[in-house]
Amino acid sequence: MDALALTKSDWEILMLEWGLPKYRASQILEWLFQKRIRDWEEMKNLPATLRHTLSEKFPVNRLVSIRESGSRDTTRKFLFRLSDGQLIESVLIPASPALYGEASDRLTICVSSQVGCAYGCKFCASGLEGWKRNLTAGEILDQVLQVEALSGEKINNIVFMGMGEPMANYDNLIRAIGILNAPWGIGIGARHMTVSTSGLVPRIRDLAAQPLQVRMAISFHGATDEVRNIIMPVNSKYPVEELLSACEDYVRIKKQRITFEYILIRDINDSLEQAHLLARQSRRVGAKVNLIPYNTVEGLPWERSNEEQQEAFLDILRRAGTDATLRREKGHDIAAACGQLRLQVEKSFAAAHVMH
Ligand code: SAH
Ligand code: SF4
């Protein structure tokens, strides 16, 4: 396992096994998460023998930054190479009020949880080439460390909305969240972390049962099974009614509001009838609705709804008393379209391959 993915108690047990005092655990964690030093030899307050053992047991395994796009004031994307050559991306989003309201000193990172995605939603770039593998908890955490190092900024909000279905990598997700949250780790409040899911009902129930107050966003995208079945294959396993009932339970157990994300795809899910149904469903769950104009993906036939339709859809929700927002800023679209940069790069790699 990656050293980043060990908890304080994991380190303490290890120190005990190695016949070392417990405070060594705190020293190691301080180097990793406060001083942000990964190279064991640099950890000068540890005995040389311990440094040596650590370098043997836990070879340093950083994400390698291979491309960056965007500018300082807007959304910035980071493409990383993993140790086995796979590519993932993370996105840094300055104050995202349309998404999460509130104050604007917020700096959000959108992290990936898997390489590719097995869920194959018809509109999504991440699922296009199928699922390759889960990210380890260390790889999830390292996205935060690397993006902070590359940008020189302190991240205070995390959304699991990058590539992959975080709930399908549940154990690593929970381990990473625990370390992101821990005072000896990265120290980000649980309420500043949002897990987005296409609707894995049993995992929604698991997330409700675990102690941390993480937020949940549901990729809803269709108010009826008829519509949702067309674009989200996961719906045949966990249909709308089951999903809504798991959401109700989450809200009841956590005493927390959740968000329904709803991308507006022209003529697919943007009828006013869907809007009326969505209004009723979101009121039932007490969910906020976040409407997102669809971002076109190369190779896919879908288009975003036109602006009048977006406004009419929003209007219906608002009139019905739903707390709904429509994300208009173009810069932020990029965040909801994680997976696309990787796709572009892989395509250009493939093209270069063919040419040679
Ligand atoms: N697998 C999880 C999290 C990653 S996707 C999930 O599905 O929730 C993060 C969000 O981006 C989801 O709401 C997803 O539906 C949305 N999304 C995917 N492709 C998009 C696109 N081309 N335009 C706009 N939003 C998109
Ligand atoms: Fe996977 Fe989420 Fe994309 Fe669906 S929307 S294919 S679950 S990443």
Coordinates of all heavy atoms in Angstrom, one line a residue, residues 88-130:
I88 N -5.1 9.9 -15.7 CA -6.3 10.5 -15.0 C -6.2 12.0 -15.0 O -5.2 12.6 -15.3 CB -6.5 10.0 -13.6 CG1 -5.2 10.4 -12.7 CG2 -6.7 8.5 -13.5 CD1 -5.5 10.4 -11.2
E89 N -7.4 12.6 -14.7 CA -7.3 14.1 -14.6 C -8.0 14.6 -13.3 O -8.9 13.9 -12.8 CB -7.9 14.7 -15.8 CG -9.3 14.3 -16.2 CD -9.7 14.7 -17.6 OE1 -10.1 15.8 -17.8 OE2 -9.5 13.9 -18.5
S90 N -7.5 15.7 -12.9 CA -8.1 16.4 -11.8 C -8.3 17.9 -12.2 O -7.6 18.4 -13.1 CB -7.1 16.5 -10.6 OG -6.5 15.2 -10.4
V91 N -9.3 18.5 -11.7 CA -9.6 19.9 -12.1 C -9.7 20.8 -10.9 O -10.3 20.4 -9.8 CB -11.0 19.9 -12.8 CG1 -11.3 21.3 -13.3 CG2 -11.1 18.9 -13.9
L92 N -9.1 21.9 -11.0 CA -9.1 22.9 -9.9 C -10.0 24.0 -10.3 O -9.9 24.6 -11.3 CB -7.6 23.5 -9.7 CG -7.4 24.4 -8.5 CD1 -7.6 23.7 -7.2 CD2 -6.0 25.0 -8.6
I93 N -11.0 24.3 -9.4 CA -12.1 25.2 -9.7 C -12.2 26.3 -8.7 O -12.5 26.0 -7.5 CB -13.4 24.5 -9.8 CG1 -13.3 23.1 -10.6 CG2 -14.5 25.4 -10.4 CD1 -14.4 22.1 -10.2
P94 N -11.8 27.5 -9.0 CA -12.0 28.6 -8.1 C -13.4 28.8 -7.8 O -14.3 28.5 -8.6 CB -11.3 29.8 -8.8 CG -11.3 29.5 -10.2 CD -11.4 28.0 -10.4
A95 N -13.7 29.3 -6.6 CA -15.1 29.6 -6.1 C -16.2 29.2 -7.1 O -16.3 29.8 -8.2 CB -15.2 31.1 -5.8
S96 N -16.9 28.3 -6.8 CA -17.9 27.7 -7.7 C -19.3 28.0 -7.2 O -20.0 27.1 -6.8 CB -17.6 26.2 -7.9 OG -18.6 25.6 -8.7
P97 N -19.7 29.3 -7.1 CA -20.9 29.6 -6.4 C -22.2 29.0 -7.1 O -23.1 28.6 -6.4 CB -21.0 31.2 -6.5 CG -20.0 31.6 -7.5 CD -19.0 30.5 -7.6
A98 N -22.1 28.9 -8.4 CA -23.3 28.3 -9.0 C -23.5 26.9 -8.6 O -24.6 26.4 -8.5 CB -23.2 28.4 -10.5
L99 N -22.4 26.2 -8.3 CA -22.5 24.8 -8.0 C -22.8 24.7 -6.5 O -23.8 24.0 -6.1 CB -21.1 24.2 -8.2 CG -21.0 23.1 -9.2 CD1 -19.6 22.5 -9.2 CD2 -22.0 22.0 -9.0
Y100 N -22.1 25.3 -5.6 CA -22.3 25.1 -4.2 C -22.5 26.3 -3.4 O -22.4 26.3 -2.2 CB -21.1 24.3 -3.7 CG -21.1 23.0 -4.3 CD1 -20.3 22.6 -5.3 CD2 -22.1 22.1 -3.9 CE1 -20.4 21.4 -5.9 CE2 -22.2 20.8 -4.5 CZ -21.4 20.5 -5.5 OH -21.5 19.3 -6.2
G101 N -22.9 27.5 -4.1 CA -23.3 28.7 -3.3 C -22.3 29.2 -2.4 O -21.1 29.0 -2.6
E102 N -22.7 29.8 -1.3 CA -21.9 30.3 -0.2 C -20.8 31.2 -0.6 O -20.7 31.8 -1.7 CB -21.4 29.1 0.6 CG -22.6 28.3 1.2 CD -22.1 26.9 1.6 OE1 -21.1 26.8 2.2 OE2 -22.9 26.0 1.2
A103 N -19.8 31.2 0.3 CA -18.7 32.2 0.2 C -17.8 31.8 -1.0 O -17.8 30.7 -1.5 CB -17.9 32.1 1.4
S104 N -17.0 32.8 -1.4 CA -16.3 32.6 -2.7 C -14.8 32.5 -2.4 O -14.0 32.6 -3.3 CB -16.6 33.7 -3.7 OG -16.4 34.9 -3.0
D105 N -14.4 32.2 -1.2 CA -12.9 31.9 -1.0 C -12.7 30.4 -1.1 O -11.7 29.8 -0.8 CB -12.5 32.3 0.4 CG -13.2 31.6 1.5 OD1 -14.3 31.0 1.2 OD2 -12.8 31.7 2.7
R106 N -13.7 29.8 -1.7 CA -13.7 28.4 -1.9 C -12.8 27.9 -3.1 O -12.9 28.5 -4.2 CB -15.1 27.9 -2.1 CG -15.3 26.5 -2.3 CD -16.7 26.1 -2.3 NE -17.2 26.1 -0.9 CZ -18.3 25.4 -0.5 NH1 -18.9 24.7 -1.3 NH2 -18.6 25.4 0.8
L107 N -12.0 27.0 -2.8 CA -11.2 26.4 -3.9 C -11.4 24.9 -4.0 O -11.1 24.2 -3.0 CB -9.7 26.7 -3.7 CG -8.8 26.4 -4.9 CD1 -9.1 27.2 -6.1 CD2 -7.3 26.6 -4.5
T108 N -12.0 24.5 -5.1 CA -12.5 23.2 -5.2 C -11.6 22.3 -6.1 O -11.1 22.8 -7.1 CB -13.9 23.2 -5.8 OG1 -14.8 23.9 -4.9 CG2 -14.5 21.8 -5.9
I109 N -11.3 21.1 -5.7 CA -10.7 20.2 -6.6 C -11.7 19.1 -7.0 O -12.4 18.6 -6.1 CB -9.4 19.5 -6.0 CG1 -8.7 18.7 -7.1 CG2 -9.7 18.7 -4.8 CD1 -7.4 18.1 -6.6
C110 N -11.8 18.8 -8.2 CA -12.6 17.7 -8.7 C -11.6 16.5 -9.0 O -10.7 16.6 -9.8 CB -13.3 18.1 -10.0 SG -14.2 16.8 -10.9
V111 N -11.8 15.4 -8.2 CA -10.9 14.3 -8.3 C -11.5 13.1 -9.1 O -12.7 12.9 -9.0 CB -10.3 13.9 -7.0 CG1 -9.5 15.0 -6.3 CG2 -11.4 13.4 -6.0
S112 N -10.6 12.3 -9.7 CA -11.0 11.1 -10.3 C -10.9 10.0 -9.3 O -10.2 10.0 -8.3 CB -10.1 10.8 -11.5 OG -10.2 11.7 -12.5
S113 N -11.8 9.0 -9.5 CA -11.8 7.8 -8.6 C -11.4 6.5 -9.2 O -11.1 5.5 -8.6 CB -13.2 7.7 -7.9 OG -14.2 7.6 -8.9
Q114 N -11.5 6.5 -10.6 CA -11.2 5.3 -11.3 C -10.5 5.7 -12.6 O -10.6 6.9 -13.1 CB -12.5 4.5 -11.7 CG -13.3 4.1 -10.5 CD -14.5 3.2 -10.9 OE1 -15.2 3.6 -11.7 NE2 -14.6 2.1 -10.2
V115 N -9.9 4.8 -13.3 CA -9.4 5.0 -14.7 C -10.6 4.4 -15.5 O -10.9 3.3 -15.5 CB -8.1 4.2 -15.0 CG1 -7.7 4.6 -16.4 CG2 -7.0 4.6 -14.0
G116 N -11.2 5.3 -16.3 CA -12.4 5.0 -17.1 C -13.6 4.7 -16.1 O -13.5 5.1 -14.9
C117 N -14.6 4.2 -16.7 CA -15.8 3.9 -15.8 C -16.6 2.8 -16.5 O -16.7 2.7 -17.7 CB -16.7 5.2 -15.8 SG -18.1 5.0 -14.7
A118 N -17.1 1.9 -15.6 CA -17.8 0.7 -16.1 C -19.3 1.0 -16.3 O -20.0 0.2 -16.9 CB -17.7 -0.4 -15.1
Y119 N -19.8 2.2 -15.9 CA -21.2 2.4 -15.9 C -21.8 2.9 -17.3 O -23.0 2.8 -17.5 CB -21.6 3.3 -14.7 CG -21.5 2.5 -13.5 CD1 -20.3 2.2 -12.9 CD2 -22.7 1.8 -13.0 CE1 -20.2 1.4 -11.8 CE2 -22.6 1.0 -11.9 CZ -21.4 0.7 -11.3 OH -21.3 -0.1 -10.3
G120 N -20.9 3.4 -18.1 CA -21.3 3.6 -19.5 C -22.5 4.5 -19.8 O -23.3 4.2 -20.7
C121 N -22.6 5.6 -19.0 CA -23.7 6.5 -19.3 C -23.5 7.0 -20.7 O -22.3 7.3 -21.1 CB -23.7 7.7 -18.3 SG -23.9 7.1 -16.6
K122 N -24.5 7.1 -21.5 CA -24.4 7.3 -22.9 C -23.8 8.7 -23.3 O -23.4 8.8 -24.5 CB -25.8 7.1 -23.6 CG -26.4 5.7 -23.4 CD -25.7 4.7 -24.4 CE -26.4 3.4 -24.4 NZ -26.1 2.6 -23.2
F123 N -23.9 9.6 -22.4 CA -23.5 11.0 -22.7 C -22.1 11.3 -22.2 O -21.6 12.4 -22.4 CB -24.4 12.0 -22.0 CG -24.6 11.6 -20.6 CD1 -23.7 12.0 -19.6 CD2 -25.8 10.9 -20.2 CE1 -23.9 11.6 -18.3 CE2 -25.9 10.5 -18.9 CZ -25.0 10.9 -17.9
C124 N -21.4 10.4 -21.6 CA -20.2 10.7 -20.8 C -18.9 10.2 -21.4 O -18.8 9.1 -21.9 CB -20.4 10.1 -19.4 SG -19.0 10.3 -18.3
A125 N -17.9 11.1 -21.4 CA -16.6 10.8 -22.0 C -15.9 9.7 -21.2 O -15.1 8.9 -21.7 CB -15.8 12.0 -22.1
S126 N -16.1 9.7 -19.9 CA -15.3 8.8 -19.0 C -15.6 7.4 -19.3 O -14.8 6.5 -19.1 CB -15.6 9.1 -17.5 OG -15.2 10.4 -17.2
G127 N -16.9 7.1 -19.6 CA -17.3 5.7 -19.8 C -17.0 5.2 -21.2 O -17.2 4.0 -21.5
L128 N -16.6 6.1 -22.1 CA -16.5 5.7 -23.6 C -15.6 4.5 -23.8 O -15.9 3.7 -24.7 CB -16.0 6.9 -24.4 CG -17.0 7.9 -25.0 CD1 -16.3 8.9 -25.8 CD2 -18.0 7.1 -25.9
E129 N -14.5 4.5 -23.1 CA -13.6 3.4 -23.4 C -13.6 2.3 -22.3 O -12.7 1.6 -22.1 CB -12.2 3.9 -23.6 CG -12.1 4.7 -24.9 CD -10.8 5.4 -25.2 OE1 -9.9 5.3 -24.3 OE2 -10.7 6.0 -26.2
G130 N -14.7 2.3 -21.5 CA -14.9 1.3 -20.5 C -14.0 1.5 -19.3 O -13.4 2.6 -19.1

